[in-house]
Amino acid sequence: MRETEKRILEHIGRLTVLSAQIDQHLSSLLAWMTTSADHDVTRRIFEGEQVSVKLRLLERALPDEWADRKRLRKAIDKIQIYRNKLAHSVVGAKISIASGAVDFYMEREKEPGLQETVDFDELQLWETRAEMLGVGLLVLTRFFLGRRDILEADLRDLILDFFTEPTVEQQNAIDHILPPLGSVH
């Protein structure tokens, strides 16, 4: 049981770190989108803002005509919502073995006694999704570094092209956070 608890907490930690990296990537992206000559200073200004503020700024800065503008916002929102569910207002975490299954429970500060099960497989999926989105923000920043026209970018394809051969897990992660254009999700 101790090993299972350790694995779960490691995955929560990795997801938290990946979310923090997404936050940093947003700061870098916004800094490169500005016309400032000193991108390091601009990045530090953005680093002090909450992700929700950065998302509003990013959405305003990206051209309305770019097809991925809203999809990018939704993808980041999805990652942040899941991360916040795990990271905020948790009083305790415990593992219970019932009928041979291992369940991970979290108790919420506002609702003591109410236990919420965390699905380990789902946790691993969200970790991969966060990793893929981080790659997407890095690739997008490279677009601005290269002074390329954002309207040329298909974020989904850019992320998949970053990998020589994306795994099924990576492909599924992209399908979830950035479904193909025109699909209902």
Side-chain angles (χ1 to χ4, degrees), residues 15 18 75 78-80 82-83 86 121-131 176-177:
L15 179 64
L18 289 166
K78 286 178 182 181
I79 299 293
Q80 288 301 110
Y82 189 78
R83 179 247 176 223
L86 291 174
D121 292 333
E122 182 182 14
L123 176 59
Q124 289 178 299
L125 286 172
W126 280 104
E127 188 180 331
T128 304
R129 292 168 183 164
E131 179 183 16
H176 183 82
I177 61 171

Side-chain angles (χ1 to χ4, degrees), residues 3 37-38 69 79 94 115 157 179 181:
E3 187 61 32
D38 193 341
R69 182 173 155 258
I79 299 293
K94 56 188 174 182
Q115 296 180 343
D157 289 343
L181 283 172

Side-chain angles (χ1 to χ4, degrees), residues 35-178:
T35 56
S36 170
D38 193 341
H39 294 287
D40 287 333
V41 170
T42 309
R43 182 182 39 79
R44 284 194 299 272
I45 290 169
F46 289 123
E47 283 176 353
E49 296 297 335
Q50 293 179 347
V51 171
S52 60
V53 172
K54 292 177 193 180
L55 286 175
R56 280 195 306 272
L57 292 170
L58 182 63
E59 200 165 16
R60 287 183 186 153
L62 292 169
D64 291 339
E65 302 83 31
W66 186 45
D68 281 330
R69 182 173 155 258
K70 289 186 182 201
R71 288 188 333 152
L72 177 60
R73 167 78 188 247
K74 285 180 184 178
I76 294 169
D77 280 341
K78 286 178 182 181
I79 299 293
Q80 288 301 110
I81 288 168
Y82 189 78
R83 179 247 176 223
N84 290 344
K85 175 182 166 186
L86 291 174
H88 291 297
S89 302
V90 175
V91 175
K94 56 188 174 182
I95 291 188
S96 165
I97 298 181
S99 63
V102 178
D103 290 322
F104 176 68
Y105 293 101
M106 296 189 320
E107 290 189 27
R108 300 252 173 235
E109 183 178 353
K110 294 180 180 175
E111 302 171 45
L114 177 65
Q115 296 180 343
E116 183 178 345
T117 304
V118 176
D119 182 273
F120 185 64
D121 292 333
E122 182 182 14
L123 176 59
Q124 289 178 299
L125 286 172
W126 280 104
E127 188 180 331
T128 304
R129 292 168 183 164
E131 179 183 16
M132 298 300 283
L133 186 57
V135 168
L137 291 170
L138 284 173
V139 170
L140 202 52
T141 301
R142 291 188 60 85
F143 242 74
F144 285 100
L145 284 168
R147 305 273 186 237
R148 295 179 62 192
D149 182 2
I150 191 63
L151 296 178
E152 297 173 10
D154 180 327
L155 188 55
R156 178 186 173 81
D157 289 343
L158 289 173
I159 294 170
L160 290 173
D161 289 347
F162 181 82
F163 297 92
T164 307
E165 293 182 29
T167 65
V168 171
E169 185 180 58
Q170 291 169 329
Q171 180 69 49
N172 290 340
I174 288 299
D175 288 345
H176 183 82
I177 61 171
L178 289 170

